Amino acid sequence: NDVLHGQLLKLEQERNNLAVQLHESHKELQAEKDNLAQSMAAADHELEEMTQQMKDLLADHDKALAAQAASHAAEARKREDETSKRLEEEVGRAASELKQMQEGHALLES
């Protein structure tokens, strides 16, 4: 009977040790789960920040491209205006020369 009682006490002690180990393992797993959740939240936050930075960079790039396109268009309009002005001046000179030639021809005929 003492032997059985000793074995029973030994088994109860082993069960208590296993219960303590199980409790400790559960606490460790919960701590790891909490750390993982914090890491995931931090990673999500960082991803959101990086996404916003990329959106901001793309918006800035789009603005720069639009400004560059507007500048090129203004430059093209300026060149077009200058070319048009030069052509008008050349047409005016040609018309003046033609008029002079016609007047000279009329003088020669008379």
Side-chain angles (χ1 to χ4, degrees):
N1 198 12
D2 286 341
V3 172
L4 286 176
H5 184 65
Q7 286 180 342
L8 182 59
L9 286 176
K10 187 176 179 184
L11 286 174
E12 282 184 27
Q13 182 63 40
E14 191 174 324
R15 183 182 69 82
N16 288 340
N17 288 342
L18 289 173
V20 168
Q21 287 177 0
L22 179 63
H23 181 71
E24 290 298 318
S25 293
H26 181 72
K27 280 176 32 181
E28 289 173 7
L29 286 174
Q30 187 62 45
E32 286 181 30
K33 181 181 171 186
D34 292 345
N35 287 339
L36 183 59
Q38 287 177 349
S39 295
M40 290 293 289
D44 283 347
H45 181 70
E46 188 174 343
L47 181 60
E48 287 175 14
E49 285 182 347
M50 291 174 69
T51 300
Q52 188 59 49
Q53 288 175 353
M54 287 301 290
K55 286 179 181 178
D56 293 346
L57 285 172
L58 287 173
D60 290 347
H61 185 68
D62 287 348
K63 287 178 190 173
L65 286 177
Q68 187 178 27
S71 174
H72 288 179
E75 195 59 39
R77 280 191 300 277
K78 182 180 172 187
R79 283 194 305 271
E80 184 180 311
D81 289 347
E82 290 171 353
T83 300
S84 181
K85 186 178 177 184
R86 273 197 313 272
L87 287 175
E88 286 176 12
E89 289 172 356
E90 288 178 25
V91 167
R93 277 194 297 274
S96 178
E97 288 176 14
L98 179 61
K99 184 178 178 185
Q100 287 177 357
M101 289 173 75
Q102 287 173 341
E103 289 173 354
H105 184 69
L107 283 177
L108 288 175
E109 285 183 350
S110 56

